[in-house]
Amino acid sequence: MQRYFLNVGPSTSPLTLPSDVAHHLTTVLRAQVGTEIEVVLNNHLAYRARVRTTAPTTTVDLLAPLDRQSELPVRVTLLCGLPKTKEKPELIVQKATELGARRIIFFEAQRSVSHWASNKQARKVSRLQKIADAAAEQSHRNYQPQVAYYPSLTTALAASPADFRLVAWEESAKHGEVSALAQTLTAIEPGQSLAAVFGPEGGLTEQEVAQMEEAGVTAVGLGPRILRTETAPLYFLSAVSYACELATTEH
Amino acid sequence: MQRYFLNVGPSTSPLTLPSDVAHHLTTVLRAQVGTEIEVVLNNHLAYRARVRTTAPTTTVDLLAPLDRQSELPVRVTLLCGLPKTKEKPELIVQKATELGARRIIFFEAQRSVSHWASNKQARKVSRLQKIADAAAEQSHRNYQPQVAYYPSLTTALAASPADFRLVAWEESAKHGEVSALAQTLTAIEPGQSLAAVFGPEGGLTEQEVAQMEEAGVTAVGLGPRILRTETAPLYFLSAVSYACELATTEH
């Protein structure tokens, strides 16, 4: 079923759909009076809704809220060293949205080859935000993740306080003991927040890792294989989902 | 460090590199006498090796085997309903190789829009195999995953016996209990095999799922969000790695 995000509260019914949503629904999907859709309102709850009119404006009646909630029980922020190509941030944003991230930050790492000039950052972020918004609809999220850009690791970290902060660092992988990632995902409670830092191609520098360790960010390994810069955050989110949604009886 | 797969045993040293490997090493990477590389031999062990000569042939001396092993402790076969576009199988093969898959099978599912004509299958598989081979070198695998195509679910399943067989099926997600996926990943032992089936865009049909349940394939959910056809196998492999490599103290 098609899902749309609408920036209104649940008290107003019937709802008049914004023109872009109305166009997609009636022209692209050819919805008619009586067609049912799902809408997420600004309380981040999803409702079933039914088309009441298609012209002159498209309106829907709100039906019952859905009982299915699709957000990760912990709020995850990704901090990704800016990759080389234009395609990789797009892939990260689309897939990380499907996998449940709440914030996706790119920052210029010491080994980042790309650089976003300050007069182009807003346009680039806005383009990625559109990808996140569309992926949030398609994957039936209750939140549209927020995409942001910071010119340095320092500013990105300052903007990302969290109950647990981790950095993916292949050198930290150790055998024969429970990994630092598993320790964190066992300790974290529903409602808490988690921020994780990933390097660009070529990885983080020793200096960046030292800076983070000083700031209390824990280094974690993601297994013995070398993951590309765009694969590591997807592994991480999948592990968070598995540990917090599937391998637990507590919620 | 650069890694190459060589189809020879460890008893011959110095090793003469095949011409494509020699070209990449000496021309693209500009290696010289004394440069060290990693080679994986046909015993699936990785060795450090040192360039002995670059002309007229490129030869290397085998040094010690590496103690670092990068294969998942369980052998995973993916069976993916053929997606619509050419890009998605390529993305699945590249990322699934990084994440540790041993076999990657595409099959024509009932809802597959694409169809590989029988006279084109070999060429298409060969193209995907090259992507797997390159990704295996880059991610420092000990095995190059085997890519294959089957014209139907029935033939794909017949070619994929395994200790545990699963199908990703969103309807099977249940709350309040340990998920079927977590049950499997808790029960599986190192050395055992695991096959998992994923639908194309639009999903598997009820008939396909019923056919698999009859064949003893267990339906498992991958969390509450709707994952695209190319994202689900990557989530699955990440969960296998997390459960079998990170969240365990047994190996």
Side-chain angles (χ1 to χ4, degrees):
Chain A
M1 177 148 325
Q2 183 64 39
R3 173 172 289 205
Y4 297 106
F5 285 82
L6 303 177
N7 189 21
V8 296
S11 58
T12 42
S13 182
L15 283 173
T16 302
L17 299 183
S19 59
D20 56 336
V21 172
H23 173 79
H24 186 266
L25 182 61
T26 59
T27 307
V28 179
L29 300 182
R30 301 183 191 182
Q32 311 203 317
V33 172
T35 297
E36 290 197 1
I37 61 174
E38 291 176 11
V39 294
V40 178
L41 304 187
N42 63 11
N43 58 0
H44 299 290
L45 292 180
Y47 296 77
R48 198 167 273 253
R50 188 186 297 122
V51 175
R52 180 191 180 98
T53 62
T54 56
T57 57
T58 304
T59 60
V60 297
D61 287 315
L62 275 192
L63 309 178
L66 299 176
D67 56 2
R68 191 162 167 168
Q69 148 78 324
S70 68
E71 292 299 309
L72 278 174
V74 298
R75 298 189 310 284
V76 178
T77 297
L78 301 180
L79 298 97
C80 301
L82 188 63
K84 234 185 288 192
T85 66
K86 184 167 143 279
E87 289 71 26
K88 287 188 180 189
E90 295 179 0
L91 182 74
I92 290 170
V93 166
Q94 185 191 73
K95 298 295 169 232
T97 300
E98 288 176 64
L99 293 167
R102 284 282 284 274
R103 288 174 75 211
I104 306 160
I105 292 172
F106 294 95
F107 68 91
E108 195 171 328
Q110 288 181 353
R111 291 209 180 105
S112 285
V113 173
S114 287
H115 167 79
W116 286 2
S118 52
N119 62 346
K120 292 189 177 165
Q121 288 166 13
R123 189 173 56 76
K124 285 171 183 281
V125 167
S126 158
R127 185 184 155 79
L128 292 175
Q129 186 64 56
K130 284 206 180 78
I131 292 172
D133 292 349
E137 287 182 353
Q138 180 157 1
S139 57
H140 283 206
R141 294 282 307 271
N142 290 72
Y143 280 80
Q144 293 165 305
Q146 180 203 348
V147 181
Y149 178 82
Y150 289 92
S152 70
L153 174 61
T154 304
T155 51
L157 281 175
S160 312
D163 295 311
F164 294 86
R165 301 208 295 180
L166 309 175
V167 50
W169 176 240
E170 64 185 69
E171 305 304 326
S172 79
K174 286 175 192 162
H175 294 282
E177 58 175 304
V178 175
S179 77
L181 179 59
Q183 283 176 37
T184 301
L185 297 184
T186 305
I188 197 167
E189 303 273 353
Q192 287 192 305
S193 57
L194 178 58
V197 181
F198 302 89
E201 294 91 344
L204 297 161
T205 63
E206 297 271 354
Q207 190 195 328
E208 285 171 323
V209 173
Q211 174 191 344
M212 285 189 270
E213 286 186 333
E214 211 159 292
V217 181
T218 305
V220 301
L222 301 179
R225 290 163 298 285
I226 295 175
L227 302 180
R228 289 177 205 235
T229 183
E230 74 277 20
T231 312
L234 311 184
Y235 177 110
F236 174 78
L237 286 166
S238 304
V240 172
S241 164
Y242 177 77
C244 298
E245 294 182 319
L246 301 188
T248 172
T249 54
E250 290 172 77
H251 54 274
Chain B
M1 178 148 325
Q2 183 66 37
R3 173 172 289 204
Y4 297 107
F5 285 82
L6 303 177
N7 189 22
V8 298
S11 57
T12 42
S13 181
L15 282 173
T16 303
L17 298 183
S19 59
D20 55 335
V21 173
H23 172 79
H24 185 267
L25 182 60
T26 59
T27 308
V28 180
L29 299 183
R30 300 180 191 187
Q32 311 204 317
V33 170
T35 297
E36 290 198 0
I37 60 174
E38 291 176 10
V39 294
V40 179
L41 305 186
N42 64 11
N43 58 1
H44 300 289
L45 292 180
Y47 296 77
R48 200 166 270 254
R50 187 186 296 124
V51 175
R52 181 191 181 97
T53 63
T54 56
T57 57
T58 305
T59 60
V60 297
D61 287 315
L62 275 191
L63 309 178
L66 300 177
D67 56 3
R68 190 162 167 170
Q69 148 79 324
S70 67
E71 292 299 309
L72 278 174
V74 298
R75 298 190 309 284
V76 178
T77 297
L78 302 180
L79 298 97
C80 301
L82 187 63
K84 235 186 287 193
T85 66
K86 184 166 145 279
E87 289 72 25
K88 288 189 178 187
E90 294 179 0
L91 182 73
I92 291 170
V93 166
Q94 184 191 73
K95 298 293 167 235
T97 300
E98 287 176 64
L99 294 167
R102 283 284 284 274
R103 289 174 76 211
I104 305 161
I105 292 173
F106 293 96
F107 67 93
E108 194 172 325
Q110 289 181 353
R111 291 209 181 104
S112 284
V113 173
S114 288
H115 166 82
W116 286 3
S118 51
N119 62 345
K120 293 188 176 164
Q121 288 165 14
R123 188 173 55 75
K124 285 173 184 281
V125 167
S126 157
R127 185 184 154 80
L128 291 174
Q129 185 65 55
K130 284 206 181 79
I131 291 172
D133 292 350
E137 287 181 353
Q138 180 158 1
S139 57
H140 283 204
R141 294 282 306 271
N142 291 70
Y143 280 81
Q144 293 165 305
Q146 179 202 347
V147 181
Y149 177 82
Y150 289 93
S152 69
L153 174 60
T154 305
T155 51
L157 281 175
S160 311
D163 295 312
F164 294 85
R165 300 208 296 181
L166 309 175
V167 49
W169 175 241
E170 64 185 67
E171 305 304 327
S172 80
K174 285 175 194 163
H175 294 283
E177 57 176 304
V178 175
S179 79
L181 179 59
Q183 283 176 36
T184 301
L185 297 184
T186 307
I188 198 166
E189 303 273 353
Q192 288 192 304
S193 57
L194 178 59
V197 181
F198 302 89
E201 294 92 344
L204 297 160
T205 63
E206 296 271 355
Q207 191 194 329
E208 286 171 322
V209 174
Q211 173 191 345
M212 284 190 271
E213 286 187 334
E214 211 159 293
V217 181
T218 305
V220 301
L222 302 179
R225 290 163 298 285
I226 296 175
L227 301 180
R228 288 177 206 234
T229 184
E230 73 277 17
T231 313
L234 311 184
Y235 177 109
F236 175 78
L237 285 165
S238 303
V240 172
S241 164
Y242 177 77
C244 298
E245 294 182 318
L246 300 188
T248 172
T249 54
E250 291 173 75
H251 54 274

